[in-house]
Amino acid sequence: MALTGRAALLAALGSLPVGIWEPSWTGILAVNAPLAVACACDFALAAPVRHLGLTRSGDTSVRLGDTADVTLTLTNPSRRPLRARLRDAWPPSSWQPGTETTASRHSLTVPPGERRRITTRLRPTRRGDRQADRITIRSYGPLGLFARQGTHKAPWTVRVLPPFTSRKHLPSKLARLRELDGRTSVLTRGEGTEFDSLREYVPGDDTRSIDWRATARRTTVAVRTWRPERDRHILMVLDTGRTSAGRVGDAPRLDASMDAALLLAALASRAGDRVDLLAYDRKVRALVQGRTAGDVLPALVNAMATLEPELVETDARGLAATALRTSPRRSLIVLLTTLDAAPIEEGLLPVLSQLTQRHTVLVASVADPHITDMAKARGDVDAVYEAAAAAQAQSERHRTAEQLRRHGVTVVDATPDDLAPALADAYLALKSAGRL
């Protein structure tokens, strides 16, 4: 089989007769001169990399777990063809582990004066902004013996958004909302809600719903039907202090809280309520206010994308004061925080009356499913000790929740998978009871 290119040249150079001779400059030059000339020619024929044109286009945002395509357009302004290997560097969290080498390296050939496009596919593993690093290009000569190498900058940012996995629960919650809103055949009476219409009494209706004046004008008993009040205000407060950094399963507590907040925001905006967001620990980390129903969810997702837990103790007094300034009128304040005894008893409880005096307060917390599994463990001494420790932890959480309930606070304590639907159900229950 015939050899071509670099293999043929090296084979030819390797077959030069050397014989048995004493080392001398003349002999060394006689053997190495053809190789040196070939390398020099190869280097000279390699396209320069300094003046290459590089521009980017493509996706600027992606949900965590999905893929984003970023296109790099490379222009070769020289008179020589570009034969290159290119590395498009991004932060390590831009790819799944072990896939960076194949995803970021590309081979391409660009004729003189032309351009080519290459696409780098990202699959980020963390939320936040991922910024493109340098682009390294190695330009080879026709024989592949020598190469020119250089680096370029082509800035680009891809924002990795929360995945919103609880979105799958939205259809069932909207169906329940339509029942409350009287748009289906099921009519539900809500105490303190807006009057909707009159209908004929059927056995089982609450007698307090009977409209005696309308009944006097009819031959049948008439009852009022109600619909939940609209245009209520909801302030979701994300505690981004140190307790939100604790990992439950594969993600921090903060991520589960954000997912629950997104489902609540989607549901409440469909119900005609206004939704704001405050993220706070010792200062405001994010604030979303005054968005319309169509804009609120994209605004919340964008604001949550860059949030990270801060390893500081949350300032409960500052949080309460900021929440009161953000919601001067009566609102539902949904505080997504921990139910650990110390932060609640020393931080939240002393300032809770400031919130409950003016607002309806709901506290939602992420429970660790591993604690539940530990509490069921049996079989040996270690398992019994684990069960006892888990039972004590659960007892402390229940006691803390009861303390909050005695102050008129609604408490939702659920595992990461169950927190979002449980919070949505609590919102619907409050709306049905006319407490918003």
Side-chain angles (χ1 to χ4, degrees), residues 243-257 366-374 414-418:
T243 56
S244 66
R247 298 188 71 85
V248 178
D250 295 330
R253 281 187 168 91
L254 179 61
D255 286 33
S257 297
V366 182
D368 191 347
H370 183 60
I371 299 296
T372 304
D373 295 338
M374 288 174 57
T415 60
D417 292 338
D418 298 331

Side-chain angles (χ1 to χ4, degrees), residues 309-343:
E310 302 293 330
L311 300 182
V312 296
E313 195 72 38
T314 299
D315 178 11
R317 291 187 180 277
L319 185 149
T322 305
L324 291 173
R325 286 197 304 269
T326 306
S327 300
R329 296 190 300 170
R330 182 168 183 81
S331 308
L332 170 63
I333 295 182
V334 180
L335 176 58
L336 294 115
T337 185
T338 181
L339 277 182
D340 293 346

Side-chain angles (χ1 to χ4, degrees), residues 96 100 124 157 167-168 171-172 194 198 282 330 336 362 418:
Q96 296 291 327
E100 186 271 340
T157 301
R167 179 174 38 192
K168 61 188 177 184
S172 63
E194 295 178 352
L198 294 172
R282 288 186 175 274
R330 182 168 183 81
L336 294 115
L362 189 157
D418 298 331

Side-chain angles (χ1 to χ4, degrees), residues 61-362:
S61 64
V62 61
R63 289 194 182 277
L64 183 64
D66 294 341
T67 58
D69 291 337
V70 179
T71 300
L72 182 68
T73 302
L74 188 150
T75 304
N76 178 18
S78 71
R79 298 180 180 179
R80 306 169 200 161
L82 174 68
R83 308 171 187 87
R85 286 280 295 167
L86 180 148
R87 179 175 182 262
D88 189 5
W90 290 76
S93 58
S94 302
W95 290 281
Q96 296 291 327
T99 64
E100 186 271 340
T101 301
T102 55
S104 64
R105 287 166 170 78
H106 309 272
S107 298
L108 72 162
T109 301
V110 186
E114 296 188 13
R115 65 183 63 180
R116 293 290 185 271
R117 292 184 177 90
I118 59 173
T119 299
T120 300
R121 176 158 292 181
L122 309 178
R123 193 180 182 89
T125 58
R126 292 181 59 189
R127 287 182 296 101
D129 290 339
R130 298 293 170 267
Q131 297 180 345
D133 201 349
R134 65 190 66 186
I135 301 168
T136 304
I137 303 173
R138 183 173 293 175
S139 171
Y140 292 93
L143 300 177
L145 297 175
F146 261 75
R148 303 171 184 265
Q149 181 169 306
T151 58
H152 292 263
K153 287 283 189 177
W156 195 260
T157 301
V158 175
R159 173 157 290 189
V160 186
L161 307 174
F164 193 13
T165 56
S166 62
R167 179 174 38 192
K168 61 188 177 184
H169 299 291
L170 186 57
S172 63
K173 304 308 174 187
L174 288 175
R176 173 61 179 157
L177 179 64
R178 286 192 293 270
E179 292 178 6
L180 295 178
D181 212 11
R183 288 191 291 234
T184 65
S185 58
V186 180
L187 292 175
T188 305
R189 182 185 187 277
E191 299 176 358
T193 55
E194 295 178 352
F195 171 74
D196 184 34
S197 61
L198 294 172
R199 64 172 173 82
E200 186 177 345
Y201 174 86
V202 296
D205 283 339
D206 192 335
T207 56
R208 292 175 298 176
S209 299
I210 297 176
D211 190 318
W212 295 108
R213 291 186 179 182
T215 300
R217 296 191 297 268
R218 299 183 174 200
T219 58
T220 58
V221 178
V223 295
R224 297 187 182 98
T225 60
W226 308 80
R227 64 184 179 190
E229 295 181 4
R230 290 178 172 270
D231 199 29
R232 303 296 92 184
H233 180 244
I234 300 172
L235 175 63
M236 300 185 300
V237 183
L238 285 175
D239 180 0
T240 55
R242 65 170 183 83
T243 56
S244 66
R247 298 188 71 85
V248 178
D250 295 330
R253 281 187 168 91
L254 179 61
D255 286 33
S257 297
M258 290 193 298
D259 193 53
L262 288 174
L263 180 62
L264 176 60
L267 181 62
S269 62
R270 298 285 187 91
D273 293 334
R274 294 173 292 111
V275 182
D276 292 340
L277 171 73
L278 170 67
Y280 191 92
D281 42 72
R282 288 186 175 274
K283 64 179 182 180
V284 176
R285 301 293 177 178
L287 180 62
V288 178
Q289 280 184 291
R291 299 304 179 106
T292 62
D295 294 336
V296 64
L297 201 60
L300 292 177
V301 169
N302 192 58
M304 291 177 181
T306 56
L307 285 179
E308 295 292 343
E310 302 293 330
L311 300 182
V312 296
E313 195 72 38
T314 299
D315 178 11
R317 291 187 180 277
L319 185 149
T322 305
L324 291 173
R325 286 197 304 269
T326 306
S327 300
R329 296 190 300 170
R330 182 168 183 81
S331 308
L332 170 63
I333 295 182
V334 180
L335 176 58
L336 294 115
T337 185
T338 181
L339 277 182
D340 293 346
I344 294 295
E345 294 175 358
E346 299 175 9
L348 182 60
L349 283 179
V351 299
L352 190 58
S353 60
Q354 302 176 24
L355 298 175
T356 56
Q357 186 176 5
R358 189 185 306 177
H359 303 290
T360 301
V361 179
L362 189 157

